C-alpha cells in the first residue's frame, strides 16, 4: 500500500511540472518585451559588459566606453561649491548639431574595481563645503532658488551659463580694488592740499606686514583656531595663511591633524598661502601619504604650486605616474604643474592633454594648467584643442588662448637694455665704446622687430579662430568663454567681433559675456556700443547688470543715471548690486546717500557687501562706524554676516578693528557661524599683496569643470 501511494504522488508531481512548463512557454511567446529604463552597467568588474569590446592596441590600456554629448553640468548644492557629476571616461563623442543644445546626460562616475556606474546627475548628493554650512563668499547673493531647487555650478541660484559664476572668480582681478582705493585716496588728497600727500585713514588698506596689525590680529586668530566648531577653526586657519608669515608656521601645522577633514584641508591650503619654503616638507609628506584622503592630497598638490618651488615638479610628475586614477588628486597635480611653470612641467602637460586615451575632464584641467604661464609657444596645442570632441576640453582651450601673452621677450629685453645703458654706461670716451653699445642695441632691436611681427601674425590667427568659435561652436559656454578670450587679447579685429556678437546674438548669457569682453579689452571707444544696447529696451536683469558693470569698467559716466534709478527702486537684487559697483567705478558721488542708507539699515542683507564695495570704490569710510553699530546691535545672523562682508569690502584698518572687537565681544557673543564669517572678513582685509593671493591663480579656472576640490579652493 505504501509503494502504491508513492507511485501516485510521483505521477502527480510529473503532471504538475509538465503543465507549469507549458504555461511558462506560452507566456514567453505573448509577453511584450519591456524597454530597459535604467542605464546598463559598463565595466569589467562586478557587472558584465553588455556590448562587445574591441581589441586594444599592443601596450595600450583597455578602451574606455564612449562618452555621451555633454553641454551642461549637473545640480550643485546650495551655499557651498557645487556638486558635479564627473564626465565620462570614454572616447570623445561627436559634437551635437549647432543650435540644438544638449540635455544634461547621465555621466559615468568613477567607481571602485567594479568599473563605472552611470548615475543621473540630478540625484547626486551635494558635498559639504569647507565651512560645513553656508558662509557668504565674495559675490554671494541669496537669491531665490529656481523651481526644483537646482543651482548653478558655484552653489548659488545662477544658471550654469551665467556670467555671475565667472565674475565671482574674477572680481578681485578686474576691479583691482586696492589700487583703486589708493588711487582715489591719493587724488583727493592732492586736490585738497596743493599736491601734498597726507596720511589719512580714508580707504587705506591694512598692511599685513605691520607689526601693529599683527599684534592685534594674531591673538584673535590663535584663539579661533582652538574653537570647538570646525567651521570657525577652518576660517581662522585660512586667515592665518593669508595674513601670516614664516614665523607663524607653528600656529598652522597642529591643525594638519585636526579631527575634522575640512579643517585639515584648510590648514593644508594655508601652508601654501604662506608662500614659504618651510611649508614644503609638510606638503610633500601629505602628497606621498597613503593614509590621507584624496581631497587632502589634492589640496597639498595645489599648495605646493602656490609656494612656487620648482624643485617640486619631479615629485608631482612622479605622483601623477603612480596615481590610482583618482580624478580629485590627478587634477590638482596637473594644476600644480601649471602653477610651477617649468619647461619640464609644460612638456609633460603637452603630452598629457594631447593623449586621447586620457580622461577628458583631466585633459581639460591639464589644458588650463598649460595655459597658466601664458607662453605663446603653446598656441599650436591650444588651437588643436578648440576642435576637440569633448566640450570640457574646448572650454578650457578657448580660455587658455585668452591667457597667451603675445609680447616679444626681445622687445622687453631691448627696453631694459636701453634704460640700463642710459643710466649706467657712459662709455670710456672713445668712439669704439659707442660703436659696441650701438651695435648691441641695433642687433637686439632687429630681433625684437622680427619677433614682434611673428607674434602679431600668430595673435591674428588666434583671434580669427576665436571669432569662428564664438559664432559656430555648439556649446554656449565655449562661445561665451571665447568672448572673454577675445577681450583679453584685444585689438581691432577682436573688438569688432565682440561688437557684432553683442548686436546679433539672441542669447542673454552671450550678450552679457560680449559686453564684458569689450570691458576687458578696455577701449573706451566701445562704450557707445554697450550703452546703446543697454538703453535699447527690455533686457533681463542679469544682462542689464553685466552691461552696467561693463560701462563702469570702461568709465562711461552715462551709466550713472540708469544705475541710480536702480538704486532708488531696489528691485531686482542682481541689478541693484552691480548698479552700486558701476557707480563706484565711475566715481558718481550722487550715489553716496543711497548706498549709505541701504548698507546701514537692517533690511536687505544680500545687498550689503556689494553696496559696501561701491562705497569703498567711492573712497567713503564714514559709513564704517554705522556698520560697526549695526554689527553690534543686530540679532539676525544673516545681517551680521553680510555686514562683516561689507566691512571686508571697504578694506580699511578701522573696519578690521570693528571685526576684531566683534569676534572677542562678551556682551554680544557671536554665534559659531558669525565667528566663522568674522574670521573670513579679517583674512580678506589683512591679506598680503595688492590682490588676493588666490586671485591670479584661479581667475581663469573653468568653473564648469566637474572637479570639486579645485572649485572649493577657487572660492576660498
Amino acid at each position: 500500500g505504501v509503494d502504491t501511494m508513492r507511485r501516485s504522488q510521483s505521477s502527480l508531481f510529473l503532471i504538475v511540472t509538465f503543465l507549469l512548463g507549458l504555461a511558462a512557454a506560452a507566456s514567453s511567446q505573448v509577453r511584450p518585451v519591456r524597454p530597459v529604463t535604467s542605464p546598463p552597467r559598463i565595466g569589467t568588474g562586478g557587472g558584465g559588459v553588455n556590448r562587445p569590446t574591441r581589441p586594444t592596441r599592443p601596450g595600450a590600456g583597455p578602451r574606455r566606453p564612449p562618452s555621451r554629448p555633454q553641454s551642461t553640468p549637473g545640480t550643485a548644492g546650495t551655499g557651498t561649491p557645487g556638486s558635479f557629476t564627473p564626465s565620462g571616461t570614454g572616447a570623445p563623442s561627436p559634437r551635437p548639431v549647432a543650435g540644438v543644445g544638449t540635455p544634461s546626460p547621465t555621466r559615468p562616475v568613477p567607481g571602485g574595481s567594479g568599473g563605472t556606474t552611470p548615475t543621473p546627475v540630478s540625484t547626486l548628493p551635494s558635498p559639504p563645503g569647507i565651512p560645513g554650512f553656508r558662509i557668504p563668499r565674495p559675490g554671494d547673493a541669496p537669491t531665490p532658488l529656481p523651481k526644483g531647487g537646482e543651482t548653478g555650478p558655484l552653489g548659488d541660484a545662477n544658471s550654469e551659463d551665467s556670467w555671475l559664476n565667472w565674475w565671482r572668480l574674477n572680481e578681485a582681478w578686474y576691479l583691482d580694488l586696492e589700487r583703486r582705493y589708493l588711487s582715489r585716496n591719493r587724488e583727493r588728497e592732492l586736490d585738497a592740499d596743493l599736491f601734498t600727500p597726507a596720511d589719512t585713514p580714508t580707504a587705506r588698506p591694512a598692511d599685513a606686514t605691520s607689526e601693529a596689525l599683527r599684534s592685534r590680529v594674531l591673538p584673535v586668530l590663535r584663539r579661533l583656531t582652538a574653537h570647538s566648531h570646525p567651521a570657525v577653526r577652518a576660517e581662522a586657519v585660512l586667515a592665518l595663511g593669508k595674513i601670516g608669515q614664516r614665523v607663524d608656521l607653528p600656529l598652522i601645522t597642529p591643525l594638519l591633524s585636526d579631527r575634522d577633514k575640512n579643517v585639515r584641508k584648510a590648514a593644508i591650503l594655508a601652508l601654501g598661502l604662506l608662500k614659504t619654503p618651510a611649508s614644503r616638507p609638510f606638503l610633500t609628506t601629505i602628497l606621498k601619504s597613503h593614509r590621507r584622503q584624496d581631497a587632502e592630497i589634492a589640496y597639498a598638490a595645489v599648495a605646493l604650486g602656490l609656494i612656487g618651488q620648482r624643485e617640486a615638479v619631479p615629485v608631482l610628475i612622479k605622483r601623477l605616474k603612480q596615481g590610482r586614477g583618482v580624478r580629485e588628486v590627478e587634477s590638482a597635480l596637473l594644476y600644480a604643474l601649471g602653477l610651477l611653470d617649468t619647461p619640464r612641467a609644460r612638456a609633460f602637460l603637452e603630452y598629457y592633454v594631447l593623449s586621447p586615451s586620457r580622461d577628458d575632464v583631466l585633459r581639460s584641467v591639464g589644458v588650463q594648467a598649460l595655459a597658466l604661464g601664458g607662453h605663446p609657444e603653446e598656441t599650436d596645442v591650444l588651437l588643436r584643442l578648440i576642435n576637440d570632441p569633448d566640450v570640457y576640453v574646448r572650454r578650457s582651450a578657448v580660455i587658455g588662448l585668452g591667457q597667451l601673452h603675445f609680447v616679444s621677450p626681445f622687445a622687453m629685453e631691448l627696453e631694459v637694455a636701453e634704460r640700463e645703458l642710459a643710466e649706467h654706461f657712459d662709455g670710456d670716451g672713445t668712439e669704439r665704446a659707442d660703436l659696441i653699445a650701438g651695435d648691441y642695441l641695433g642687433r637686439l632691436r632687429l630681433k625684437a622687430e622680427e619677433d614682434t611681427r611673428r607674434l602679431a601674425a600668430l595673435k591674428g590667427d588666434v583671434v580669427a579662430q576665436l571669432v569662428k568659435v564664438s559664432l559656430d561652436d555648439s556649446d554656449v559656454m565655449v562661445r561665451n568663454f571665447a568672448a572673454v578670450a577675445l577681450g583679453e587679447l584685444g585689438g581691432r579685429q577682436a573688438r569688432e567681433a565682440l561688437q557684432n556678437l553683442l548686436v546679433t546674438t539672441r542669447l542673454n548669457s552671450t550678450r552679457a559675456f560680449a559686453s564684458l569682453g569689450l570691458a576687458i579689452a578696455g577701449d573706451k571707444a566701445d562704450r557707445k556700443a554697450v550703452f546703446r544696447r543697454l538703453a535699447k529696451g527690455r533686457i533681463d536683469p542679469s544682462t542689464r547688470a553685466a552691461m552696467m558693470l561693463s560701462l563702469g569698467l570702461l568709465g562711461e559716466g552715462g551709466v550713472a543715471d540708469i544705475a541710480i534709478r536702480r538704486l532708488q527702486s531696489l528691485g531686482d537684487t542682481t541689478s541693484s548690486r552691480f548698479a552700486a559697483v558701476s557707480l563706484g567705478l565711475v566715481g558718481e558721488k550722487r550715489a553716496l546717500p543711497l548706498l549709505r542708507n541701504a548698507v546701514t539699515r537692517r533690511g536687505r542683507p544680500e545687498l550689503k557687501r556689494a553696496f559696501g564695495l561701491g562705497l569703498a570704490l567711492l573712497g567713503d569710510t564714514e559709513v564704517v562706524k554705522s556698520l560697526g553699530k549695526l554689527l553690534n546691535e543686530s540679532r539676525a545672523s544673516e545681517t551680521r554676516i553680510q555686514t562683516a562682508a561689507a566691512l571686508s569690502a571697504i578694506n580699511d584698518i578701522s573696519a578690521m578693528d570693528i571685526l576684531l572687537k566683534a569676534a572677542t565681544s562678551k556682551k554680544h557673543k557671536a554665534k559659531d557661524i558669525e565667528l566663522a564669517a568674522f574670521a573670513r572678513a579679517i583674512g580678506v582685509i589683512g591679506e598680503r599683496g595688492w590682490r588676493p593671493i588666490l586671485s591670479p591663480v584661479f581667475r581663469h579656472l573653468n568653473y564648469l569643470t566637474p572637479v570639486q576640490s579645485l572649485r572649493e579652493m577657487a572660492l576660498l
Side-chain angles (χ1 to χ4, degrees):
V2 174
D3 293 338
T4 302
M5 185 181 296
R6 287 176 177 173
R7 282 195 297 271
S8 300
Q9 291 175 347
S10 176
S11 300
L12 181 62
F13 175 78
L14 291 173
I15 292 171
V16 171
T17 304
F18 176 74
L19 293 174
L20 290 174
L22 290 176
S27 175
S28 65
Q29 292 175 0
V30 300
R31 180 182 301 171
V33 179
R34 291 186 178 182
V36 178
T37 57
S38 59
R41 182 176 179 83
I42 303 171
T44 58
V49 180
N50 51 20
R51 61 171 61 92
T53 57
R54 298 178 183 178
T56 58
R57 298 185 305 274
R63 279 187 177 270
R64 301 175 300 163
S67 59
R68 296 170 173 81
Q70 300 162 8
S71 175
T72 57
T75 302
T78 55
T80 56
S83 171
F84 285 86
T85 311
S87 73
T89 56
S93 58
R95 292 194 201 179
V97 179
V100 175
T102 52
S104 294
T106 57
R107 303 174 188 167
V109 179
S113 60
T116 58
T117 305
T119 307
V121 293
S122 59
T123 61
L124 289 176
S126 171
I130 287 291
F133 48 72
R134 181 178 177 83
I135 292 180
R137 309 281 178 181
D140 275 2
T143 50
L145 293 178
K147 293 181 180 180
E150 292 195 0
T151 59
L154 298 184
D156 51 21
N158 302 324
S159 61
E160 66 278 351
D161 63 345
S162 172
W163 66 274
L164 293 167
N165 295 317
W166 171 82
W167 180 250
R168 288 178 65 181
L169 301 181
N170 289 272
E171 176 190 277
W173 187 268
Y174 289 114
L175 291 185
D176 203 0
L177 298 179
E178 292 202 7
R179 288 189 184 274
R180 291 181 185 273
Y181 297 161
L182 292 177
S183 174
R184 186 146 297 159
N185 181 34
R186 188 178 301 114
E187 287 174 5
R188 181 170 53 254
E189 290 168 2
L190 296 178
D191 291 342
D193 199 19
L194 298 178
F195 303 99
T196 304
D199 185 16
T200 65
T202 305
R204 187 177 70 222
D207 182 6
T209 62
S210 166
E211 288 301 322
L213 176 67
R214 285 172 54 80
S215 65
R216 299 200 304 274
V217 173
L218 290 182
V220 176
L221 293 180
R222 186 184 295 111
R223 197 179 82 175
L224 294 181
T225 55
H227 195 273
S228 59
H229 200 288
V232 180
R233 299 198 300 275
E235 295 292 350
V237 76
L238 278 173
L240 275 174
K242 295 175 180 179
I243 296 174
Q245 300 175 5
R246 177 171 180 164
V247 295
D248 302 316
L249 195 66
L251 299 177
I252 297 175
T253 51
L255 295 175
L256 295 174
S257 55
D258 192 273
R259 61 184 180 274
D260 185 84
K261 63 180 181 180
N262 291 324
V263 178
R264 296 195 299 271
K265 290 193 292 185
I268 292 169
L269 188 60
L271 290 180
L273 293 172
L274 283 182
K275 288 187 172 290
T276 171
S279 298
R280 183 184 168 193
F282 297 96
L283 297 173
T284 304
T285 300
I286 295 171
L287 191 67
K288 296 179 179 179
S289 173
H290 296 286
R291 302 178 62 183
R292 292 277 185 172
Q293 295 182 357
D294 293 335
E296 295 174 50
I297 298 174
Y299 271 66
V302 174
L304 277 171
L306 290 175
I307 294 174
Q309 280 202 299
R310 297 189 165 194
E311 294 84 354
V313 168
V315 178
L316 295 169
I317 292 178
K318 183 178 180 181
R319 183 68 176 80
L320 263 171
K321 292 179 178 178
Q322 295 175 346
R324 298 171 304 205
V326 179
R327 185 176 284 170
E328 293 292 314
V329 174
E330 292 203 12
S331 62
L333 293 168
L334 292 168
Y335 211 76
L337 288 175
L339 293 174
L340 293 173
D341 191 30
T342 67
R344 183 179 178 185
R346 292 197 297 274
F348 181 87
L349 289 171
E350 286 183 7
Y351 165 77
Y352 195 99
V353 301
L354 293 175
S355 300
S357 61
R358 302 281 186 181
D359 182 338
D360 289 326
V361 168
L362 294 178
R363 289 175 61 227
S364 73
V365 175
V367 172
Q368 294 179 87
L370 184 63
L372 284 175
H375 300 285
E377 293 78 14
E378 308 301 339
T379 302
D380 289 342
V381 175
L382 295 177
L383 285 177
R384 286 176 61 182
L385 294 173
I386 63 173
N387 295 309
D388 195 90
D390 185 78
V391 66
Y392 288 137
V393 175
R394 299 205 305 278
R395 288 170 177 173
S396 296
V398 295
I399 291 173
L401 287 170
Q403 293 176 251
L404 299 180
H405 305 303
F406 294 100
V407 179
S408 170
F410 294 111
M412 294 187 290
E413 185 179 347
L414 175 64
E415 182 180 345
V416 173
E418 289 176 336
R419 184 172 61 251
E420 289 182 348
L421 286 173
E423 293 176 356
H424 306 294
F425 181 72
D426 296 328
D428 57 3
T430 64
E431 184 179 356
R432 178 174 175 76
D434 294 335
L435 288 174
I436 292 174
D439 182 63
Y440 169 72
L441 290 177
R443 291 174 181 271
L444 192 57
R445 191 172 292 110
L446 288 175
K447 290 182 179 179
E449 291 173 354
E450 181 182 356
D451 201 42
T452 298
R453 285 194 296 269
R454 177 185 68 84
L455 290 175
L458 189 60
K459 179 181 175 180
D461 293 339
V462 170
V463 170
Q465 290 297 318
L466 286 173
V467 171
K468 185 176 184 297
V469 167
S470 69
L471 298 172
D472 297 342
D473 198 273
S474 60
D475 180 72
V476 64
M477 286 313 298
V478 173
R479 301 197 298 271
N480 292 348
F481 286 151
V484 172
L486 286 170
E488 290 178 326
L489 292 174
R492 180 183 57 81
Q493 185 182 1
R495 291 173 42 237
E496 288 178 354
L498 289 171
Q499 290 179 14
N500 179 64
L501 201 61
L502 181 65
V503 173
T504 59
T505 184
R506 295 184 179 181
L507 290 177
N508 290 326
S509 69
T510 302
R511 189 179 295 130
F513 273 95
S515 64
L516 289 168
L518 289 171
I520 295 169
D523 194 311
K524 295 188 182 299
D526 296 325
R527 295 182 295 184
K528 294 181 180 179
V530 180
F531 190 83
R532 281 196 302 267
R533 194 65 190 84
L534 176 61
K536 190 172 183 179
R538 298 175 60 184
I539 302 175
D540 70 292
S542 178
T543 306
R544 182 188 299 112
M547 291 183 176
M548 286 192 293
L549 175 62
S550 300
L551 290 171
L553 292 170
L554 289 170
E556 172 53 58
V559 75
D561 291 336
I562 298 175
I564 285 178
R565 286 197 296 271
R566 289 289 155 188
L567 292 188
Q568 289 171 339
S569 64
L570 284 186
D572 172 68
T573 297
T574 302
S575 295
S576 299
R577 287 165 56 205
F578 287 93
V581 174
S582 65
L583 288 167
L585 289 169
V586 299
E588 180 54 66
K589 300 297 183 181
R590 288 182 296 163
L592 283 173
L594 292 170
L595 295 175
R596 287 171 182 165
N597 180 53
V599 83
T600 56
R601 66 186 183 187
R602 295 179 185 271
R604 304 299 297 268
E606 72 276 10
L607 298 177
K608 294 195 182 302
R609 182 187 175 275
F611 282 26
L613 180 57
L615 288 169
L617 290 168
L618 289 169
D620 177 50
T621 55
E622 296 178 12
V623 74
V624 170
K625 290 183 179 179
S626 300
L627 286 172
K629 183 179 179 181
L630 179 64
L631 192 68
N632 290 327
E633 294 180 354
S634 177
R635 294 293 176 268
S637 290
E638 186 177 6
T639 297
R640 300 192 80 192
I641 290 170
Q642 295 287 359
T643 302
L647 287 167
S648 70
I650 291 177
N651 204 354
D652 188 72
I653 292 177
S654 58
M656 173 75 85
D657 290 333
I658 290 172
L659 290 165
L660 293 172
K661 184 178 179 181
T664 57
S665 175
K666 295 182 179 179
K667 182 179 180 181
H668 302 287
K669 190 174 181 180
K671 300 175 184 177
D672 294 336
I673 189 172
E674 296 167 0
L675 275 178
F678 296 165
R680 167 169 289 276
I682 290 169
V684 170
I685 295 177
E687 193 164 357
R688 306 183 304 276
W690 286 106
R691 296 189 182 101
I693 299 171
L694 293 178
S695 175
V697 176
F698 289 115
R699 72 187 185 98
H700 288 292
L701 183 70
N702 178 354
Y703 60 84
L704 299 182
T705 297
V707 182
Q708 179 187 343
S709 294
L710 289 180
R711 291 198 313 274
E712 283 182 349
M713 285 181 270
L715 293 174
L716 290 176

